[in-house]
Amino acid sequence: MILDGKAPTGRIEESWDKHRFELKLVNPANKRKYKVLVVGTGLAGASAAASLGELGYNVEAFCYQDSPRRAHSIAAQGGINAAKNYPNDGDSIYRLFYDTIKGGDFRAREADVWRLAQVSNNIIDQCVAQGVPFARDYAGYLDTRSFGGAQVSRTFYARGQTGQQLLLGAYTALSRQIKAGSVKLFPRTEMLDLVVVDGEAKGITVRDLVTGEIRTHVGDAVVLATGGYVNVFYLSTNAMGCSVTAIWKAAKKGAYFANPCFTQIHPTCIPQAGDYQSKLTLMSESLRNDGRVWVPKKKEDCNKPPNEIGEDDRDYYLERKYPTFGNLAPRDISSRAAKEACDDGRGVGPGGRGVYLDFAASIKRLGENVIRERYGNLFEMYERITDEDGYKQPMRIYPAPHYSMGGLWVDYNLMSNIPGLFVLGEANFSVHGANRLGASALMQGLADGYFVIPYTIGGYLAAAKPGKVKPDHAECLKSIADVQETEKKLLGVNGKRTVTEFMRELGSLMWNNVGMGRSEASLTEAIQKIPAIREEFWKNVKVSGGGMETNQQLENAGRTADFFEFSELLARDALHRNESCGGHFREEYQYPDGEAKRDDANFCYVAAWELKGAGQEPELHKEPLKFENVHLAVRSYK
């Protein structure tokens, strides 16, 4: 099937404004008749629920945490992009659009990316009005800094806590709607199934994580804003609770899964310390504004204290290989360059899996107080974890799984191929292509929630009859029964291995075979081995306790079961895409200098997979990508 993204035609500068005008509206009195279910309360979910509640819709919001404030959006540190051009350094909406298309290696839909760039400025105004404490310069104006993949300073920030501060702003707006009664919040509640009636999304089945109760909530539309899936690698920068479950359940009900192989490896993370570590810690990309990345030129120097290695014996490899962008080369390129240096035997720290991030030159030029003001909480976090002072010696960093560019397929209205199912933020595939530029995740989440979904969901609801489905509908009862059956099956295995053991085994296989470097051989091996580990899981997993109680082993077992199914699709997608682009680096497809080699003639499309049921291979659907405003070109940052 050739998919239609319903992107508007005509001049791209007018596309979003024209599309908004053409969307059908729901009048204020009628909005009160509709109920919208919003799953996830991070930046995309909280902003969407608050905005839809403000408009007058009845909203039910769900999160598995005890508070929306604990959503993983708080972990975003460095900043949020916008084309305000306050520094007067040449930025514009078009340049942000261009940088994002290029940064994603020409694998995103142009119209979606233009809209993102256009509304970026509104986001900053919205957040300032909410009281988000963005950094300001000496004169009181909002300050900006640079991020990878851009030659302008367009990233607004709040020290190293930008995600947390933006989430508090969205949470404040959400709390106001909860108090007003337009939003009803369901914390400690996990979505375990999507209810589809007559081909439309009309509800979700959830488990109360405190009591164990399984029940169905029905509405007139469902909005998924549940984040990404890189915990499929087990060790990642994501919170331990981040999973693929919500969007995978939607995929099993017919929603197409787009570009699952597009995962991002972040170059600036604290290296793994041991085999039994549970997650990795991100060090913001903003640190590369003032920190210089290097490794020793000579292998024999790797065990020396870094301050004893002279300038002439250091390889500032990003500055050497990419002189135009230097230490602010995009994440995929910077990650592969770090791996290349370590594979060459010049890595530092335990196991030789680390490179240095050095602030000595910046401290000498600016003073330690300036660096503390910009990044103090990040240095403090680094010292707590490593017991090393980043002001006195270089930090050690290494790439780690961080973000999902793939997700459920959506059209320009952010609606999946299932009518009534909308997908926001990291849970959809839409704007980042094969590689997300730094500081664009927060931009997408808030753009989708504050400025896109309030318009596009109205276009769907205007033609929908409110209250069509009741909780006692046959599909609701069947969904509850299916969830209960899966729970019963997990509790009934009573094997000898823990859920964590299985997740660690799967993650190790995925990282080694489907991680930074992929090949036909490694991907084929992963596809062959995953079913065997999955079969062992269902025969030998040990889930203690019962279903009608708080049971985190049961929660994790369900998420792990979904990762086992999803991981095979991820590997299949990576095997089918015989090219290298962005974070998807196939070792067979590279230029002589090691850069990614795209194949625009054969793979310039979105790969959207339709699940066909147990034992059947998924079917591939394609959405061709057209580039009329940015010409396809070999991506270069040299």
Side-chain angles (χ1 to χ4, degrees):
M1 183 189 302
I2 303 299
L3 295 174
D4 179 11
K6 297 184 177 63
T9 57
R11 293 184 67 242
I12 198 166
E13 293 85 353
E14 301 169 357
S15 56
W16 175 230
D17 295 332
K18 182 172 178 286
H19 186 77
R20 281 190 300 175
F21 178 75
E22 292 174 349
L23 284 168
K24 293 181 180 179
L25 298 176
V26 181
N27 83 53
N30 285 342
K31 286 188 176 82
R32 294 191 291 271
K33 300 176 183 178
Y34 291 96
K35 182 193 290 185
V36 181
L37 309 179
V38 179
V39 186
T41 57
L43 283 180
S47 59
S51 300
L52 294 173
E54 183 80 43
L55 285 172
Y57 294 106
N58 294 299
V59 179
E60 291 185 356
F62 303 83
C63 65
Y64 70 81
Q65 302 94 341
D66 59 352
S67 166
R69 289 174 298 174
R70 295 187 184 275
H72 185 61
S73 299
I74 67 167
Q77 300 164 336
I80 177 171
N81 288 331
K84 287 284 196 182
N85 194 30
Y86 285 165
N88 200 28
D89 57 357
D91 203 7
S92 65
I93 291 173
Y94 185 87
R95 189 175 294 278
L96 175 53
F97 160 69
Y98 174 85
D99 287 347
T100 305
I101 290 285
K102 178 185 174 183
D105 221 348
F106 302 91
R107 290 294 177 262
R109 198 188 285 141
E110 273 195 339
D112 295 54
V113 178
W114 175 268
R115 176 175 63 191
L116 177 69
Q118 180 180 336
V119 305
S120 67
N121 294 339
N122 298 345
I123 297 170
I124 303 303
D125 295 340
Q126 170 93 354
C127 294
V128 169
Q130 290 174 338
V132 173
F134 285 123
R136 295 178 181 267
D137 64 18
Y138 181 76
Y141 293 105
L142 294 181
D143 203 1
T144 55
R145 55 192 177 199
S146 300
F147 258 62
Q151 292 180 296
V152 296
S153 182
R154 65 161 66 104
T155 304
F156 296 79
Y157 65 98
R159 294 189 75 187
Q161 309 171 2
T162 314
Q164 180 174 351
Q165 297 303 327
L166 290 172
L167 184 64
L168 288 172
Y171 174 70
T172 302
L174 177 63
S175 297
R176 179 173 177 272
Q177 296 307 312
I178 293 171
K179 176 73 184 311
S182 59
V183 176
K184 188 173 182 181
L185 179 67
F186 293 88
R188 302 295 289 134
T189 305
E190 183 173 24
M191 172 185 162
L192 296 178
D193 198 17
L194 178 72
V195 177
V196 178
V197 178
D198 298 331
E200 296 182 290
K202 292 298 179 185
I204 59 173
T205 298
V206 302
R207 180 174 184 268
D208 186 313
L209 299 182
V210 176
T211 67
E213 177 194 6
I214 295 171
R215 63 180 184 269
T216 295
H217 292 254
V218 295
D220 301 296
V222 176
V223 176
L224 297 185
T226 52
Y229 50 77
V230 292
N231 273 350
V232 71
F233 296 104
Y234 183 61
L235 283 180
S236 83
T237 65
N238 281 200
M240 292 293 290
C242 294
S243 76
V244 75
T245 290
I247 55 176
W248 187 248
K249 299 301 188 186
K252 294 181 78 170
K253 284 298 181 73
Y256 299 161
F257 210 116
N259 299 337
C261 77
F262 288 168
T263 56
Q264 182 170 83
I265 311 300
H266 198 295
T268 317
C269 301
I270 298 178
Q272 181 179 350
D275 292 337
Y276 295 97
Q277 194 165 330
S278 59
K279 75 176 297 292
L280 297 171
T281 302
L282 171 70
M283 297 304 293
S284 171
E285 181 179 309
S286 63
L287 291 169
R288 292 196 280 145
N289 271 273
D290 291 305
R292 301 178 71 192
V293 180
W294 64 275
V295 291
K297 288 182 178 178
K298 296 178 287 189
K299 298 177 183 178
E300 55 266 31
D301 286 345
C302 291
N303 292 322
K304 286 184 178 179
N307 293 335
E308 293 181 11
I309 302 174
E311 280 291 312
D312 291 342
D313 293 321
R314 300 179 178 189
D315 179 12
Y316 294 93
Y317 57 87
L318 289 177
E319 298 172 32
R320 170 174 56 83
K321 295 181 68 173
Y322 310 102
T324 302
F325 283 76
N327 294 297
L328 288 173
R331 291 176 176 180
D332 59 323
I333 289 173
S334 301
S335 294
R336 286 196 295 273
K339 181 178 184 295
E340 183 182 281
C342 293
D343 289 347
D344 188 41
R346 295 183 294 135
V348 300
R353 289 288 153 185
V355 301
Y356 288 127
L357 180 62
D358 196 336
F359 288 84
S362 293
I363 290 174
K364 183 177 180 181
R365 184 179 74 255
L366 301 170
E368 186 175 315
N369 287 340
V370 173
I371 300 301
R372 284 185 183 275
E373 184 178 323
R374 291 177 180 175
Y375 315 106
N377 61 305
L378 298 173
F379 276 75
E380 180 184 348
M381 183 171 66
Y382 180 83
E383 184 170 6
R384 287 185 177 184
I385 292 171
T386 65
D387 198 28
E388 297 174 6
D389 187 343
Y391 296 107
K392 292 184 170 54
Q393 65 185 76
M395 293 181 176
R396 289 177 297 108
I397 57 171
Y398 192 70
H402 176 60
Y403 190 87
S404 313
M405 282 78 69
L408 292 187
W409 182 86
V410 292
D411 63 17
Y412 188 70
N413 291 322
L414 301 184
M415 187 164 73
S416 75
N417 59 294
I418 299 178
L421 178 64
F422 294 82
V423 192
L424 313 186
E426 191 178 358
N428 74 34
F429 87 98
S430 65
V431 294
H432 302 303
N435 174 63
R436 177 175 70 79
L437 291 184
S440 287
L442 304 183
M443 178 172 61
Q444 184 205 0
L446 293 180
D448 287 357
Y450 283 137
F451 298 109
V452 180
I453 194 66
Y455 289 96
T456 60
I457 202 169
Y460 168 76
L461 292 175
K465 180 182 177 182
K468 180 179 176 181
V469 175
K470 305 300 180 186
D472 60 354
H473 192 281
E475 286 297 331
C476 296
L477 300 178
K478 181 180 182 301
S479 179
I480 290 174
D482 290 344
V483 170
Q484 289 174 332
E485 179 61 29
T486 300
E487 180 181 284
K488 182 179 178 182
K489 187 177 177 183
L490 286 168
L491 291 168
V493 176
N494 199 29
K496 297 182 178 179
R497 294 181 62 189
T498 66
V499 174
T500 303
E501 286 180 71
F502 281 106
M503 195 62 229
R504 189 182 290 121
E505 183 178 358
L506 174 65
S508 177
L509 175 67
M510 293 299 290
W511 176 243
N512 292 329
N513 289 52
V514 200
M516 265 194 286
R518 305 162 176 181
S519 67
E520 182 177 1
S522 73
L523 293 167
T524 302
E525 181 184 11
I527 292 170
Q528 291 172 345
K529 287 185 174 181
I530 291 168
I533 306 173
R534 182 170 67 238
E535 184 178 355
E536 167 71 6
F537 172 84
W538 284 106
K539 287 181 178 178
N540 201 22
V541 70
K542 175 69 174 180
V543 181
S544 302
M548 298 305 292
E549 61 183 350
T550 301
N551 189 340
Q552 291 191 316
Q553 284 192 48
L554 179 60
E555 297 169 31
N556 293 331
R559 295 165 191 163
T560 300
D562 293 326
F563 272 132
F564 271 118
E565 295 179 357
F566 166 71
S567 61
E568 194 170 344
L569 180 68
L570 193 163
R572 284 185 183 278
D573 185 45
L575 182 62
H576 120 274
R577 189 171 282 277
N578 291 321
E579 65 167 351
S580 290
C581 56
H584 169 66
F585 189 74
R586 283 284 297 272
E587 294 169 355
E588 305 96 326
Y589 305 101
Q590 55 180 300
Y591 290 105
D593 62 358
E595 299 300 330
K597 187 176 183 179
R598 286 198 330 266
D599 182 353
D600 294 329
N602 296 301
F603 292 96
C604 194
Y605 59 75
V606 177
W609 297 88
E610 179 184 4
L611 303 184
K612 291 294 188 178
Q616 300 183 63
E617 291 197 4
E619 181 180 354
L620 173 63
H621 305 295
K622 300 177 181 179
E623 180 195 341
L625 292 170
K626 299 176 183 178
F627 293 92
E628 299 171 343
N629 299 276
V630 177
H631 297 297
L632 286 164
V634 175
R635 192 173 61 137
S636 175
Y637 290 93
K638 294 187 175 181

